[in-house]
Amino acid sequence: QVQLVESGGGMVQAGGSLRLSCAGSGRAFMLYNMAWFRQAPGKEREFVASVTRSSGAKDYGEAVKGRFTISGDNAKSTIYLQMNNVKPEDTAVYFCAAKTLISANYSNWGQGTQVTVSS
């Protein structure tokens, strides 16, 4: 099991930037593929970005492509989500998630951090 703690959420004006962090603890953090999801009030959870450990490949949801960047610092067991040119529709609770290298589903989740974008 890996424990995940998000931070960095807050309020930001449209067009601004914000960086979210997800600190992992527990054994073998490096053996987990990582992702960010978000959920806005009254909406289903939405995929934001992911990174695959073995290849380093990164994937992004259509709504955030070209604006958000996922990255990691292995020495700190932390992944980041750099959010640029944010829009009011980016307002949501953002969750960090992890899955083992052989798993199809994300089974480890953080508690979430609120991001609010004002127009």
Side-chain angles (χ1 to χ4, degrees):
Q1 282 280 2
V2 62
Q3 293 76 45
L4 305 172
V5 179
E6 302 97 333
S7 61
M11 295 187 64
V12 60
Q13 287 190 331
S17 298
L18 204 61
R19 190 178 79 159
L20 306 182
S21 300
C22 172
S25 62
R27 297 192 303 175
F29 177 76
M30 284 296 299
L31 298 182
Y32 287 79
N33 290 324
M34 303 297 299
W36 287 96
F37 290 81
R38 67 186 183 186
Q39 188 165 19
K43 294 188 176 182
E44 293 188 354
R45 188 169 56 199
E46 178 186 19
F47 169 75
V48 175
S50 67
V51 58
T52 300
R53 294 292 193 186
S54 58
S55 64
K58 299 176 181 178
D59 192 20
Y60 297 92
E62 286 297 324
V64 306
K65 277 183 179 178
R67 299 188 297 122
F68 291 9
T69 302
I70 188 171
S71 63
D73 185 335
N74 294 331
K76 296 182 179 179
S77 296
T78 300
I79 65 164
Y80 304 98
L81 184 68
Q82 178 66 43
M83 307 167 61
N84 295 330
N85 190 25
V86 296
K87 304 175 181 180
E89 51 264 43
D90 294 323
T91 295
V93 178
Y94 283 72
F95 297 91
C96 176
K99 63 178 180 178
T100 66
L101 302 184
I102 60 173
S103 297
N105 300 314
Y106 290 92
S107 56
N108 296 271
W109 295 84
Q111 83 289 350
T113 185
Q114 176 70 48
V115 172
T116 302
V117 182
S118 60
S119 57

